[in-house]
Amino acid sequence: MSTQRRMRWGLGLAGIGVLALLGYACAGGAGGGADVGAVARARGLSEQDVLAAVKTYQPTGARDEYLMFASGGHSGQAMVIGIPSMRLLKVIGVFTPEPWQGYGFGARETQDILDSGDMAGHQLRWGDSHHPALSETNGDYDGQFLFINDKANPRIAVIDLRDFETKQIVTDPNMGTNHGGTFVTPNTEYIIEGAQYSVPLWQEYADVDRYQDVYRGLVTLWKFDRDAGRIDRERSFSIELPPYWHDLSDAGKGPSQGWMFLNSFNTEMATGGIEDGNPPFEAGASANDMDYLHIINWERAAEVAADPANVRTARGMRVIPLETAVEQNLVFFTPEPKSPHGVDVTPDGGRMVVSGKLDQHVTIYSWDKIQAAIQAGSFSGTDPYGVPIIGFEDAMSAQLEVGLGPLHTQFDDRGNAYTSLFLEPSVVKWQLDPPQVLEKIPVHYNVGHLAMPEGDTRSPDGKYLVSMNKWAIDRFNEVGPLVPQNFQLIDVEASPMQLLYDMPIGIGEPHYAQIIKADKLNPFEVYPEIGWNPGTMSADPDATKTGEERVERQGNTVHVYMTAVRSHFNPEYIRARQGDEVVIHITNVEQTHDATHGFGISKYNINLSLEPGESQEVRFTADEPGVFPFYCTEFCSALHLEMAGYLLVEPR
Amino acid sequence: MSTQRRMRWGLGLAGIGVLALLGYACAGGAGGGADVGAVARARGLSEQDVLAAVKTYQPTGARDEYLMFASGGHSGQAMVIGIPSMRLLKVIGVFTPEPWQGYGFGARETQDILDSGDMAGHQLRWGDSHHPALSETNGDYDGQFLFINDKANPRIAVIDLRDFETKQIVTDPNMGTNHGGTFVTPNTEYIIEGAQYSVPLWQEYADVDRYQDVYRGLVTLWKFDRDAGRIDRERSFSIELPPYWHDLSDAGKGPSQGWMFLNSFNTEMATGGIEDGNPPFEAGASANDMDYLHIINWERAAEVAADPANVRTARGMRVIPLETAVEQNLVFFTPEPKSPHGVDVTPDGGRMVVSGKLDQHVTIYSWDKIQAAIQAGSFSGTDPYGVPIIGFEDAMSAQLEVGLGPLHTQFDDRGNAYTSLFLEPSVVKWQLDPPQVLEKIPVHYNVGHLAMPEGDTRSPDGKYLVSMNKWAIDRFNEVGPLVPQNFQLIDVEASPMQLLYDMPIGIGEPHYAQIIKADKLNPFEVYPEIGWNPGTMSADPDATKTGEERVERQGNTVHVYMTAVRSHFNPEYIRARQGDEVVIHITNVEQTHDATHGFGISKYNINLSLEPGESQEVRFTADEPGVFPFYCTEFCSALHLEMAGYLLVEPR
């Protein structure tokens, strides 16, 4: 640091004169006499703004301390955002094809993943991704995997954080939609998926007049095989639940390890029908003052499910019938205030915080009390389906009035909790012991979920909070009637809490996020070996190697063994006769960081993204005669435009 | 402003003591004693960084001065980015379906747009969007429309900036790929689209051994009907060009109005074939020292094309044959140095700046000299296809050595030009009169295009420059082998130029951008009337109105007339028999800013985004029996989760 700079930063006093005080006291002078104060005034920034700017600014080359994994909402994707800079580092293709990543545009591995997510005989090419969950070891994020659900089509995806790519989509044929996923158990033994709107379980079809008899709720525990990096469908199972609508869930930890918690609403079992003069769902499903917090012993359920006598099969999935679940003491209820959204287990695992959107309180349940009631068999009754109900007072340890529309709670490392208040809208900070409101900060506007660094693990970091606001309205430049959401970054170490940054989300409607310390991740910079198959995450012995490029015809199939390197493909011609099958086995033989090559074929709906070392296969029918250029779709070099060739399809 | 704040900002001196000088001289004290200097030091920020932070920070609710419209590269989309905050405000679905926007997931209008872009019998659901162009009036952006090309599949899209939605995709069946588009003429009479890799024009198929005879280049002038907000295919035409590969283009203005300029490379007509021992395209196509700048009289070409005797029809498009173009004095060439990328017309329209990627100069052509040579019929010869060539010295006014890999030039309002240098990589600032290098700033890394506010119009704003860097490598946190691009914002009013901000682009590989003064845009906040049809941009008399909701069966077709309003759909049930056609006519009857409702149906690949007032139609076959929840996919209200219903498909 130069002497001049040191002086200006107040590390030395010599030489600072009146001019310095007149607006030049801080920084500035970066050639041309610009100074921070004058620029800030000219831009209308307040002191608070300047402080926020400095807290969030990331100079060139600097790393963010945290990475936030946010859902992409009905974009169907997942997003990676740096914190505190709030820069969008990547949109990961998950449920929706993404040509930039070569996800679903011919690369066979990715086609297979997307195809495996088809349901009800339909090709599904979007999702409503809601709740991402990072894999955990001992109740802390381990940085290895990310899971995310699709609410619209009940599915779960697995993303490998070595290459930030989707590796698997599993479908849950017994659900209509899901919502209470994904949440992981403390060692990622299982990935929790709770259904949302109930549908018939044991039979294909029933009209709604048989709602209470035939429609059912469901929770599925997907077994995760960490070594394989995949969900194991065979070892997964579901538990039948009453036909309530189910909302968010969370896994217990510490003393509550082995248990999970699931919110419900529409325990009224309202069936709507405004068109017939009935109360619409919004009225019927929120008539009662209380719904049921579901308390489920997943560890014991896994043991129960292991005995074939205890399960029935529905659409190929093992399901523990509700009757068995009750008999085996797997499921208990306790009342929870009105239309709850989040159920959030405290870092020590001892309490469950429930937010009822139509109640002004957070309700804090005591695991000790719940356990005592279960042990004692002390229940206030059962629901219509025989599930034992623990009395509200026997489970609840405190209620704290926090404000209007409480929705979701996160935790810091200083014994505090933070709850989003949808209707105010603001975020309330309160302490757990004893429960007491500390302060509120307004947010803009209609906050849904919150995320804090490691804020739902055993060891939260505190420091920041991201408020995921559903409406932005007047926060940004107008971009038409479809308005971005607004993620607001808040400094929770400041007192009072300080709003630092407004980040518009112009791609999807993200719902939920988890924030991990960035240094827990260790992704590949390039694939470890040339010829890498991202499906198997290993080098593919059959990948095309440099020097072995060739074209082989086998009957009506043309096999093209191709390499890509700056700045050419080899071969540069693919000749086929109309109707031929063309199979291209292509390897990017580079090992230079960032030396990605694309491979796009004109008018054939094909585009691959080949990261350094990656091998892919693409297969298509050359059904249309003509001359179709192919080219590298990543700007790889000065001669990138010359990295091209021709697919020649001779008419029959 | 409080007295305390005024003091701290140096507007008053009283009360600033030694403590203030010791790091507290600037701002801070925002409750808890945090101060800018201490925070900056703790975060490792330099003075330059703090200045950059203050120049780019956008406090909550503040508007950006400029909006940048960037291509989405092989994401197929367009992006809207605020400047100077570098916040991503919106990703507009263009060539790739986008479920968040309800683009291509059942909404009939958007299905039709995407379907109209299909080519060669294939459903195309991605694009390689390269060059966005804002509509112009008198050579200045007017903020009404945005155009963008798809390089992979030669197509042009039209986006209406009232609602930031794609309204039209037109296909160019005579091109293999395009690249020299989109660029508009000064009053948006035409949208220019130049081809890239030549393909056979007048016949369907020819192997590459007939390259020089049968393959052809092409430029298309798409006629824009501003009142209709659509390209008029019937009034559009193409001009046949020699089988060179064509690169970027630009429209003349001022004295050069009525003309356009198009770069070429591979005038060697190399045909590659590395697999047969030939030089690959990268070598063969860059063997010569000079390629040809194409100088085309589009105004006269439009007159020529109006006479049916002058055009031939190829695949339904009117094409002026090359021979006619030469006879009618529509096309001239002049040599341009090696593998040019950008050809950029100066704000006064008097000069054309060409950057040859493999040459260290920018070459400045004089419109006066070019015109004089054409008038005098003074040519150095013709190319093999008979196109007259103006001698290099007869067209060029100056060459300026700027550095390695010059690629693209933008202009400010002070007589300066800025050229990206791919190989250095840096941006060079130089003055036009006389041509002289002023300064360089390094960028990180491998800069492709540049964008400056209104930097290619008749009245550039200067102020900022965005360097669109292809490689980011070490600039951001690692997110796997596929690395984001890096957009760097540079202050060009500072001297020397100052790097302000690094923005990762984690969605696509953007190529090109235009930056418009934000106050030129006047988008809808909500659609002007309830029942708005975004296809016709008018209220649809047949849109479902409140009180007229109903279900009508007509044979095997079930018509559902539905409204959406916080927090219910009406009706809440859709009953069909397996095999029925279901047509839903749905209106979001809200007029509140940001009150968007989604409409997603489980497992049927359907999702709409209904902005306030919007009406859409969705049509599908209820081919799969069962119970399928539908629900609002935008978090619209506290009872958003209750905004749901059921599609009941009774088995046959």
Side-chain angles (χ1 to χ4, degrees):
Chain A
M1 191 181 264
S2 71
T3 306
Q4 198 185 9
R5 280 179 61 185
R6 197 173 300 124
M7 289 188 316
R8 288 197 169 128
W9 282 100
L11 299 176
L13 287 175
I16 298 191
V18 173
L19 270 177
L21 292 177
L22 279 163
Y24 288 85
C26 252
D35 77 284
V36 169
V39 171
R41 282 191 297 277
R43 298 198 65 233
L45 302 185
S46 71
E47 290 175 55
Q48 281 268 3
D49 295 334
V50 173
L51 191 57
V54 170
K55 285 183 177 180
T56 57
Y57 185 75
Q58 211 66 303
T60 187
R63 297 292 187 275
D64 275 300
E65 186 177 358
Y66 295 99
L67 291 182
M68 177 162 68
F69 290 88
S71 73
H74 45 317
S75 79
Q77 315 297 47
M79 301 190 300
V80 189
I81 296 167
I83 287 179
S85 77
M86 301 305 276
R87 297 187 297 204
L88 177 63
L89 294 161
K90 195 171 207 167
V91 175
I92 304 171
V94 184
F95 297 111
T96 306
E98 215 309 311
W100 166 59
Q101 297 162 49
Y103 185 65
F105 291 90
R108 190 169 167 185
E109 175 224 352
T110 69
Q111 287 298 152
D112 288 349
I113 292 168
L114 284 162
D115 287 349
S116 72
D118 289 345
M119 300 187 81
H122 298 133
Q123 194 183 56
L124 301 180
R125 288 300 179 269
W126 77 288
D128 190 7
S129 63
H130 267 233
H131 309 110
L134 289 154
S135 58
E136 294 184 11
T137 300
N138 295 324
D140 274 318
Y141 303 150
D142 55 40
Q144 293 187 7
F145 295 93
L146 181 74
F147 311 99
I148 194 163
N149 72 319
D150 169 12
K151 169 174 164 170
N153 314 292
R155 305 185 291 179
I156 303 288
V158 179
I159 295 156
D160 192 320
L161 294 179
R162 284 176 291 178
D163 62 359
F164 284 59
E165 289 191 358
T166 301
K167 301 297 177 184
Q168 186 183 24
I169 297 175
V170 293
T171 60
D172 200 327
N174 294 317
M175 293 186 182
T177 61
N178 69 27
H179 195 268
T182 55
F183 296 87
V184 300
T185 57
N187 286 295
T188 324
E189 298 92 342
Y190 289 94
I191 302 149
I192 299 169
E193 179 199 21
Q196 186 145 73
Y197 308 114
S198 293
V199 295
L201 174 60
W202 302 113
Q203 64 189 61
E204 184 183 51
Y205 180 80
D207 204 317
V208 73
D209 53 8
R210 299 185 57 207
Y211 186 83
Q212 297 192 18
D213 291 341
V214 176
Y215 285 50
R216 287 294 178 269
L218 203 70
V219 62
T220 297
L221 291 142
W222 291 103
K223 180 69 190 165
F224 186 61
D225 180 336
R226 195 186 285 260
D227 292 335
R230 296 289 187 278
I231 286 169
D232 183 343
R233 181 181 280 272
E234 300 304 312
R235 291 160 68 203
S236 306
F237 65 95
S238 306
I239 305 171
E240 179 185 5
L241 296 173
Y244 311 142
W245 290 357
H246 293 91
D247 209 57
L248 289 163
S249 61
D250 200 4
K253 52 195 170 224
S256 55
Q257 178 144 351
W259 292 75
M260 60 158 285
F261 307 92
L262 175 64
N263 277 337
S264 64
F265 64 118
N266 195 13
T267 50
E268 297 86 350
M269 296 185 280
T271 53
I274 187 173
E275 63 273 30
D276 297 323
N278 298 319
F281 281 112
E282 63 170 316
S286 54
N288 294 350
D289 282 339
M290 290 284 192
D291 291 293
Y292 294 126
L293 174 64
H294 293 35
I295 301 158
I296 299 173
N297 189 336
W298 65 259
E299 215 162 65
R300 169 120 184 82
E303 292 165 15
V304 167
D307 182 347
N310 291 329
V311 295
R312 282 178 66 184
T313 297
R315 302 177 183 92
M317 294 283 292
R318 293 187 301 150
V319 182
I320 301 176
L322 180 52
E323 200 181 331
T324 307
V326 170
E327 279 170 13
Q328 297 279 347
N329 300 314
L330 305 183
V331 182
F332 304 90
F333 290 167
T334 192
E336 57 182 355
K338 203 150 186 169
S339 292
H341 202 53
V343 48
D344 303 291
V345 177
T346 53
D348 64 5
R351 280 166 286 186
M352 293 79 223
V353 177
V354 167
S355 310
K357 280 178 306 186
L358 302 183
D359 183 80
Q360 299 188 27
H361 303 83
V362 287
T363 301
I364 305 161
Y365 295 85
S366 155
W367 182 244
D368 286 345
K369 290 180 74 173
I370 290 171
Q371 278 299 81
I374 291 174
Q375 298 297 333
S378 161
F379 305 113
S380 64
T382 70
D383 85 330
Y385 297 87
V387 179
I389 299 170
I390 304 167
F392 184 57
E393 296 294 336
D394 296 336
M396 183 269 292
S397 64
Q399 281 194 299
L400 178 67
E401 186 171 330
V402 290
L404 299 174
L407 199 141
H408 178 218
T409 299
Q410 291 268 281
F411 305 96
D412 71 13
D413 51 343
R414 299 176 292 278
N416 301 312
Y418 301 78
T419 300
S420 52
L421 301 174
F422 178 82
L423 293 173
E424 300 213 356
S426 61
V427 173
V428 57
K429 175 180 176 180
W430 52 279
Q431 71 180 25
L432 279 159
D433 292 308
Q436 181 184 334
V437 168
L438 299 176
E439 54 167 313
K440 277 186 192 180
I441 184 169
V443 293
H444 317 86
Y445 303 91
N446 296 8
V447 53
H449 286 282
L450 304 175
M452 293 181 73
E454 318 234 343
D456 61 1
T457 70
R458 294 202 65 172
S459 51
D461 274 15
K463 203 158 181 171
Y464 298 111
L465 181 149
V466 175
S467 173
M468 287 173 259
N469 308 316
K470 295 297 172 180
W471 286 25
I473 314 180
D474 56 359
R475 293 295 91 181
F476 307 112
N477 294 64
E478 288 71 32
V479 290
L482 181 58
V483 178
Q485 285 201 22
N486 184 13
F487 278 17
Q488 287 183 311
L489 180 71
I490 292 165
D491 180 349
V492 298
E493 288 183 332
S495 180
M497 295 183 279
Q498 188 194 0
L499 174 61
L500 294 181
Y501 195 93
D502 282 48
M503 179 199 191
I505 303 288
I507 174 76
E509 196 218 32
H511 289 267
Y512 195 89
Q514 289 191 339
I515 301 173
I516 185 173
K517 199 109 166 66
D519 62 12
K520 286 188 173 180
L521 294 159
N522 189 24
F524 294 148
E525 289 198 350
V526 297
Y527 281 118
E529 293 177 58
I530 291 173
W532 194 263
N533 179 335
T536 61
M537 281 300 225
S538 61
D540 188 335
D542 297 329
T544 306
K545 293 177 183 62
T546 302
E548 298 180 3
E549 301 91 347
R550 65 200 184 278
V551 178
E552 287 176 4
R553 173 175 285 278
Q554 295 173 350
N556 292 325
T557 302
V558 179
H559 283 275
V560 181
Y561 298 87
M562 185 182 280
T563 58
V565 72
R566 279 163 291 171
S567 301
H568 62 264
F569 296 105
N570 186 354
E572 290 179 313
Y573 286 91
I574 302 171
R575 287 183 173 81
R577 289 189 297 265
Q578 188 180 357
D580 282 346
E581 280 294 296
V582 178
V583 188
I584 307 174
H585 314 263
I586 181 169
T587 307
N588 175 355
V589 296
E590 309 249 12
Q591 283 280 272
T592 305
H593 191 195
D594 213 349
T596 293
H597 293 293
F599 178 75
I601 305 180
S602 164
K603 304 177 189 174
Y604 263 87
N605 207 41
I606 287 168
N607 187 54
L608 316 188
S609 176
L610 300 158
E611 279 72 75
E614 181 172 351
S615 176
Q616 281 285 0
E617 181 189 305
V618 56
R619 180 185 293 261
F620 61 94
T621 305
D623 50 7
E624 182 73 14
V627 175
F628 304 94
F630 58 82
Y631 66 97
C632 174
T633 48
E634 278 275 343
F635 199 129
C636 57
S637 64
L639 291 169
H640 154 73
L641 289 175
E642 288 79 358
M643 189 165 173
Y646 285 98
L647 164 68
L648 301 167
V649 183
E650 194 178 350
R652 284 236 177 238
Chain B
M1 189 180 264
S2 71
T3 306
Q4 199 185 11
R5 279 178 64 185
R6 198 175 297 126
M7 291 189 311
R8 286 195 171 130
W9 282 100
L11 299 175
L13 287 173
I16 299 191
V18 173
L19 270 178
L21 293 175
L22 281 164
Y24 288 84
C26 251
D35 76 285
V36 169
V39 171
R41 282 192 297 277
R43 297 198 65 232
L45 303 184
S46 71
E47 288 175 57
Q48 281 270 1
D49 295 335
V50 173
L51 190 59
V54 170
K55 285 183 177 179
T56 56
Y57 184 75
Q58 211 66 303
T60 188
R63 297 292 186 274
D64 275 301
E65 186 177 359
Y66 295 99
L67 291 184
M68 176 162 68
F69 290 88
S71 73
H74 46 318
S75 79
Q77 316 297 47
M79 301 190 300
V80 189
I81 296 167
I83 287 179
S85 76
M86 301 305 277
R87 297 186 296 202
L88 177 63
L89 294 161
K90 194 171 208 168
V91 175
I92 303 172
V94 185
F95 297 110
T96 306
E98 215 311 311
W100 166 57
Q101 298 162 49
Y103 186 64
F105 290 91
R108 191 169 169 186
E109 174 224 353
T110 69
Q111 285 301 151
D112 288 349
I113 293 168
L114 285 162
D115 288 349
S116 72
D118 290 345
M119 300 187 81
H122 297 133
Q123 193 184 56
L124 302 181
R125 289 299 181 266
W126 76 289
D128 190 7
S129 63
H130 267 232
H131 309 112
L134 288 154
S135 57
E136 293 184 12
T137 300
N138 295 326
D140 273 319
Y141 303 150
D142 56 38
Q144 292 187 9
F145 294 94
L146 181 75
F147 311 99
I148 195 163
N149 72 318
D150 170 12
K151 169 174 165 171
N153 315 291
R155 305 185 291 180
I156 303 288
V158 179
I159 295 156
D160 192 320
L161 294 179
R162 284 175 290 177
D163 63 359
F164 284 59
E165 289 191 358
T166 300
K167 301 296 175 184
Q168 185 183 25
I169 297 175
V170 293
T171 60
D172 200 328
N174 294 317
M175 294 185 181
T177 61
N178 69 25
H179 195 267
T182 57
F183 296 87
V184 300
T185 57
N187 286 296
T188 323
E189 297 92 343
Y190 289 94
I191 302 149
I192 299 169
E193 180 199 19
Q196 185 143 76
Y197 309 113
S198 293
V199 295
L201 174 61
W202 302 114
Q203 64 188 60
E204 184 182 53
Y205 179 80
D207 203 315
V208 73
D209 53 7
R210 299 185 56 208
Y211 186 84
Q212 298 191 19
D213 292 341
V214 177
Y215 285 51
R216 286 295 177 267
L218 204 70
V219 63
T220 297
L221 280 302
W222 290 103
K223 180 69 190 166
F224 186 61
D225 180 338
R226 195 186 286 262
D227 291 336
R230 297 288 189 278
I231 286 169
D232 182 344
R233 180 180 280 271
E234 300 304 313
R235 291 159 68 202
S236 306
F237 65 96
S238 306
I239 305 172
E240 179 185 4
L241 296 173
Y244 312 143
W245 289 357
H246 292 92
D247 209 59
L248 288 163
S249 60
D250 200 3
K253 53 193 170 225
S256 55
Q257 179 144 351
W259 293 75
M260 60 158 285
F261 307 92
L262 175 65
N263 277 337
S264 65
F265 64 119
N266 196 15
T267 50
E268 298 86 348
M269 295 186 278
T271 53
I274 187 174
E275 64 273 29
D276 297 322
N278 297 320
F281 282 111
E282 63 169 318
S286 54
N288 295 348
D289 282 340
M290 290 284 191
D291 291 293
Y292 294 126
L293 174 63
H294 292 35
I295 301 159
I296 299 173
N297 188 336
W298 66 259
E299 216 162 62
R300 169 121 184 81
E303 292 165 16
V304 168
D307 182 345
N310 291 328
V311 296
R312 283 177 66 183
T313 297
R315 302 180 183 91
M317 293 284 291
R318 293 187 302 149
V319 181
I320 301 177
L322 181 52
E323 202 180 329
T324 307
V326 171
E327 278 169 14
Q328 298 279 348
N329 300 314
L330 305 183
V331 181
F332 304 90
F333 290 168
T334 191
E336 57 182 355
K338 204 152 185 167
S339 293
H341 202 52
V343 48
D344 302 291
V345 177
T346 53
D348 64 6
R351 281 167 284 187
M352 293 79 224
V353 178
V354 167
S355 310
K357 279 177 307 187
L358 302 184
D359 183 79
Q360 299 188 26
H361 302 84
V362 287
T363 301
I364 305 161
Y365 295 86
S366 156
W367 181 243
D368 288 344
K369 292 181 73 172
I370 290 171
Q371 277 301 81
I374 292 173
Q375 297 297 333
S378 163
F379 304 111
S380 65
T382 70
D383 86 329
Y385 297 87
V387 180
I389 299 170
I390 304 167
F392 185 57
E393 296 295 337
D394 295 337
M396 183 268 292
S397 64
Q399 281 194 298
L400 177 67
E401 186 171 329
V402 290
L404 298 175
L407 198 139
H408 178 218
T409 300
Q410 291 269 280
F411 304 96
D412 71 13
D413 51 344
R414 299 176 293 278
N416 301 313
Y418 301 77
T419 300
S420 51
L421 300 174
F422 179 82
L423 293 173
E424 298 211 356
S426 60
V427 173
V428 57
K429 174 180 177 181
W430 52 280
Q431 70 180 29
L432 278 159
D433 292 309
Q436 184 185 332
V437 168
L438 300 176
E439 55 166 310
K440 278 187 193 179
I441 184 169
V443 292
H444 317 88
Y445 304 91
N446 297 9
V447 52
H449 286 282
L450 304 174
M452 293 180 73
E454 318 236 343
D456 62 1
T457 71
R458 294 200 66 173
S459 50
D461 274 13
K463 203 158 181 173
Y464 298 110
L465 182 148
V466 176
S467 173
M468 288 174 258
N469 308 317
K470 295 297 172 178
W471 285 25
I473 314 179
D474 57 359
R475 293 294 92 180
F476 307 111
N477 293 62
E478 288 71 33
V479 289
L482 182 58
V483 177
Q485 284 202 24
N486 184 14
F487 277 17
Q488 286 183 311
L489 180 71
I490 293 165
D491 181 348
V492 298
E493 288 183 332
S495 180
M497 295 182 281
Q498 189 194 359
L499 174 60
L500 294 180
Y501 195 93
D502 283 47
M503 180 199 191
I505 304 288
I507 174 74
E509 195 217 30
H511 290 267
Y512 196 89
Q514 289 191 339
I515 301 173
I516 186 172
K517 199 108 164 64
D519 61 15
K520 286 187 173 181
L521 294 160
N522 189 22
F524 294 149
E525 288 197 351
V526 298
Y527 281 119
E529 293 177 57
I530 290 173
W532 194 263
N533 179 336
T536 61
M537 279 301 221
S538 61
D540 189 335
D542 297 329
T544 307
K545 295 177 183 62
T546 303
E548 300 180 2
E549 300 91 346
R550 65 200 183 278
V551 178
E552 286 176 4
R553 172 176 286 277
Q554 295 174 348
N556 291 327
T557 302
V558 179
H559 283 275
V560 181
Y561 298 88
M562 184 181 280
T563 58
V565 71
R566 279 165 290 171
S567 302
H568 61 263
F569 296 104
N570 185 355
E572 291 179 315
Y573 286 91
I574 302 171
R575 287 183 173 83
R577 289 190 297 264
Q578 189 180 359
D580 281 345
E581 280 294 295
V582 178
V583 188
I584 307 174
H585 314 264
I586 180 169
T587 306
N588 175 354
V589 296
E590 309 247 11
Q591 282 278 276
T592 304
H593 191 195
D594 213 350
T596 293
H597 293 292
F599 177 75
I601 306 180
S602 163
K603 304 179 190 172
Y604 263 88
N605 207 41
I606 287 168
N607 187 53
L608 316 188
S609 175
L610 300 158
E611 279 73 74
E614 181 172 350
S615 176
Q616 282 285 359
E617 181 188 306
V618 56
R619 181 185 292 264
F620 62 93
T621 304
D623 50 7
E624 182 73 16
V627 175
F628 304 95
F630 58 82
Y631 67 97
C632 174
T633 49
E634 278 275 344
F635 198 128
C636 58
S637 63
L639 291 169
H640 155 74
L641 289 174
E642 288 79 0
M643 189 167 174
Y646 285 98
L647 165 68
L648 301 168
V649 183
E650 195 178 348
R652 284 231 179 245

